[in-house]
Amino acid sequence: EILATAAANEALTEVVDMGSTVGGQGVLAVRVTADADATPDGSRPAVLYASAQHAREWITPEMTRRLMHYVLDNYGSDAEITELVDSTELWFLPVANPDGYDFTFTEGNRLWRKNLRDNNADGTVTTSDGVDLNRNSATKWGWDNEGSSPDPASDTYRGSAPNSEPETQALDNLFADVGFEFFINYHSAAELLLYGIGWQVSTPSPDDVIYQAMVGTDNNPAVPGYDPD
């Protein structure tokens, strides 16, 4: 899907292999911008839309996939989309956790959440394996055991060290290379619009006023039925 979409939209797309997973798969993103081949990565203001950091959240790759096609299909006919693609970079990462995502399509593993790190090195994947990639980032890693767990059997196991996982390293390297203005990380399972600093409960950031303007309030959320926090 990624390669075919890029091949059909060569002037506007670049496929970027961000790195490899624990299992050796490529982590692929699609960069959408005008004259993509001739424009260096990060030369325009950029946003990253990412999905399936948690393997079982199947609706999120479809969200990112459809958004990518919406942008490409409307370029040249919709003035707003055309201006957006001409002046910015829109990065689409449909599956941030390819190993785990594939694993959810195997018998009995539909609700697998983590990557496929073999924590005990026994050559098999059990409930004691895997790292929650959304808890593995280096910033404030392991701050407490409320938002992440030191237990390898936990769905929120944060890994053995900050940025221990190649999937996390791939994302971190992309952040450093491009310098995104915004990162939108799609998850499912709760109707929430989450923003700001996530390493501690109720910790404000200087950017909160911006996020609040974007996502709305409890009484008037930007997306009806969703809870901004």
Side-chain angles (χ1 to χ4, degrees), residues 36-57:
D37 287 344
T39 309
D41 295 354
S43 57
R44 294 167 176 159
V47 60
L48 173 63
Y49 302 93
S51 304
Q53 197 170 37
H54 289 149
R56 64 193 179 197
E57 297 173 5

Side-chain angles (χ1 to χ4, degrees), residues 123-196:
T124 61
V125 178
T126 68
T127 54
S128 295
D129 293 315
V131 172
D132 181 349
L133 298 177
N134 204 31
R135 305 292 189 277
N136 187 235
S137 298
T139 303
K140 306 294 184 181
W141 180 88
W143 179 264
D144 59 31
N145 294 330
E146 182 176 69
S148 66
S149 174
D151 179 5
S154 171
D155 264 352
T156 59
Y157 176 53
R158 57 181 172 253
S160 59
N163 274 3
S164 62
E165 304 311 293
E167 298 92 342
T168 311
Q169 295 165 22
L171 198 58
D172 208 42
N173 290 336
L174 188 68
F175 291 155
D177 289 344
V178 177
F180 293 99
E181 301 288 336
F182 288 99
F183 172 39
I184 301 178
N185 194 1
Y186 287 113
H187 288 259
S188 60
E191 289 72 38
L192 304 173
L193 300 173
L194 299 179
Y195 61 85

Side-chain angles (χ1 to χ4, degrees), residues 1 14 28 53 60 73 89 95 110 121-122 133 136 139 146 165 175 191 208 212:
E1 169 77 4
E14 174 195 9
L28 301 181
Q53 197 170 37
T60 63
D73 292 348
E89 298 179 14
V95 181
R110 171 65 184 88
D122 66 353
L133 298 177
N136 187 235
T139 303
E146 182 176 69
E165 304 311 293
F175 291 155
E191 289 72 38
D208 278 6
Q212 288 163 1

Side-chain angles (χ1 to χ4, degrees), residues 21-23 25 55 97-104 112-119 124-126 129-131 133 165 167:
T21 66
V22 168
Q25 293 198 76
N97 179 9
D99 292 349
Y101 182 65
D102 286 348
F103 194 58
T104 63
W112 186 264
R113 169 183 167 105
K114 301 181 281 184
N115 73 352
L116 292 191
R117 169 70 67 185
D118 187 2
N119 293 324
T124 61
V125 178
T126 68
D129 293 315
V131 172
L133 298 177
E165 304 311 293
E167 298 92 342

